[in-house]
Amino acid sequence: MNQAPEITFEGRAEISGAPLFAPLSLTMAAGAWTCLLGGSGVGKSTVLRLIAGLQTGAEFHGAITASDGADVVPRVGYMAQDDLLLPWATVQQNISLGARLRGEKVDQDRLARLLSRVRLTDHAAKKPSELSGGQRQRVALARTLMEDKEIILLDEPFSALDARTRADMQELSVELLHGRTVLLVTHDPGEAARLGHSIVVMTPSGLTHCHPPSSDIPRQVDDMETLESQAALMRLLREDAA
């Protein structure tokens, strides 16, 4: 993998002439996790889709640039809120979809390791209809991790998981995405406090940058500084919603 770049997002978006979000200036540090929180409807997922070069239904006025000057979109790995699994494909076929679409040989060793790490080896031959919601989300996560991309965009990637599995998959993601530039959209202050090198709260009026805990990620869920950060983020989110 090449050196992951810093990504800068600057601009505003509107739908049918009505503002979706005010002018934003968001920097994703190279090789670090940026966590983006905010209430529903403020445009967090739209920011991810714009960076990924996907259709959003919004008109964007601004620029999305990488610090090395190269195009952003070809280097993006993106996980949407919905798992978007192909219903006729098996778990292992869904995870290896990127390589198959590009006509590349699937790295079977990497696929087997990922299946084991997300605890789906015994389900590799199943179709999505045979899986629980949490299992489907783990398939979608593994599909994103299977891609060796420099810029990773994650939209609520752990939301369907039980507490223990969520913590496990957070730790796995931090391990396997080391050195990548990651933007994580989440509604969970605890998740942001645990995973963010940088934590940003998005509101209709703009962005508020919050101080993350000083320890490295993934932080212990019961660490006092992590808990204090979680509480501060919750207070800020409740103030913005009031």
Side-chain angles (χ1 to χ4, degrees):
M1 186 195 73
N2 296 326
Q3 178 69 33
E6 178 181 277
I7 302 298
T8 301
F9 179 102
E10 293 187 348
R12 58 184 175 85
E14 56 188 39
I15 297 178
S16 300
L20 175 61
F21 54 75
L24 305 178
S25 181
L26 174 65
T27 298
M28 302 160 52
W33 282 61
T34 300
C35 291
L36 183 62
L37 297 96
S40 298
V42 298
K44 303 183 303 298
S45 295
T46 299
V47 169
L48 258 67
R49 291 182 64 85
L50 287 168
I51 296 172
L54 301 173
Q55 292 294 320
T56 64
E59 185 177 356
F60 178 60
H61 305 274
I64 301 165
T65 56
S67 56
D68 57 10
D71 290 343
V72 172
V73 172
R75 298 185 286 173
V76 164
Y78 171 70
M79 180 178 171
Q81 286 186 31
D82 298 325
D83 57 63
L84 302 179
L85 302 183
L86 300 180
W88 58 84
T90 65
V91 165
Q92 58 187 354
Q93 288 170 337
N94 269 290
I95 292 174
S96 59
L97 180 62
R100 293 167 59 225
L101 289 175
R102 293 188 296 269
E104 300 171 357
K105 183 178 179 180
V106 175
D107 185 337
Q108 295 294 338
D109 290 340
R110 180 176 175 82
L111 175 59
R113 288 195 301 271
L114 270 175
L115 280 165
S116 176
R117 296 298 301 276
V118 299
R119 301 200 291 268
L120 290 172
T121 300
D122 293 341
H123 304 281
K126 291 182 179 179
K127 304 290 180 62
S129 61
E130 303 174 84
L131 305 176
S132 69
Q135 289 170 333
R136 289 173 63 103
Q137 191 168 52
R138 277 183 278 153
V139 175
L141 176 63
R143 181 176 58 195
T144 303
L145 296 174
M146 185 76 180
E147 296 289 297
D148 190 22
K149 299 293 188 179
E150 303 158 44
I151 305 159
I152 304 296
L153 309 175
L154 303 172
D155 199 349
E156 295 283 343
F158 313 112
S159 59
L161 306 179
D162 63 81
R164 176 183 174 181
T165 304
R166 183 184 306 124
D168 290 345
M169 293 303 106
Q170 289 171 345
E171 291 164 8
L172 175 64
S173 297
V174 169
E175 175 190 338
L176 297 185
L177 296 177
H178 177 74
R180 271 69 168 180
T181 300
V182 180
L183 179 58
L184 168 68
V185 162
T186 178
H187 285 103
D188 183 356
E191 186 165 86
R194 188 172 196 232
L195 299 179
H197 292 108
S198 174
I199 302 174
V200 184
V201 174
M202 184 174 178
T203 69
S205 60
L207 301 177
T208 300
H209 294 264
C210 305
H211 292 292
S214 58
S215 55
D216 202 4
I217 67 169
R219 303 176 181 103
Q220 294 298 316
V221 294
D222 58 351
D223 177 78
M224 183 57 65
E225 193 178 10
T226 302
L227 292 172
E228 290 173 351
S229 175
Q230 176 182 342
L233 289 169
M234 177 62 79
R235 288 193 295 269
L236 180 58
L237 290 168
R238 295 188 70 181
E239 289 170 3
D240 289 331

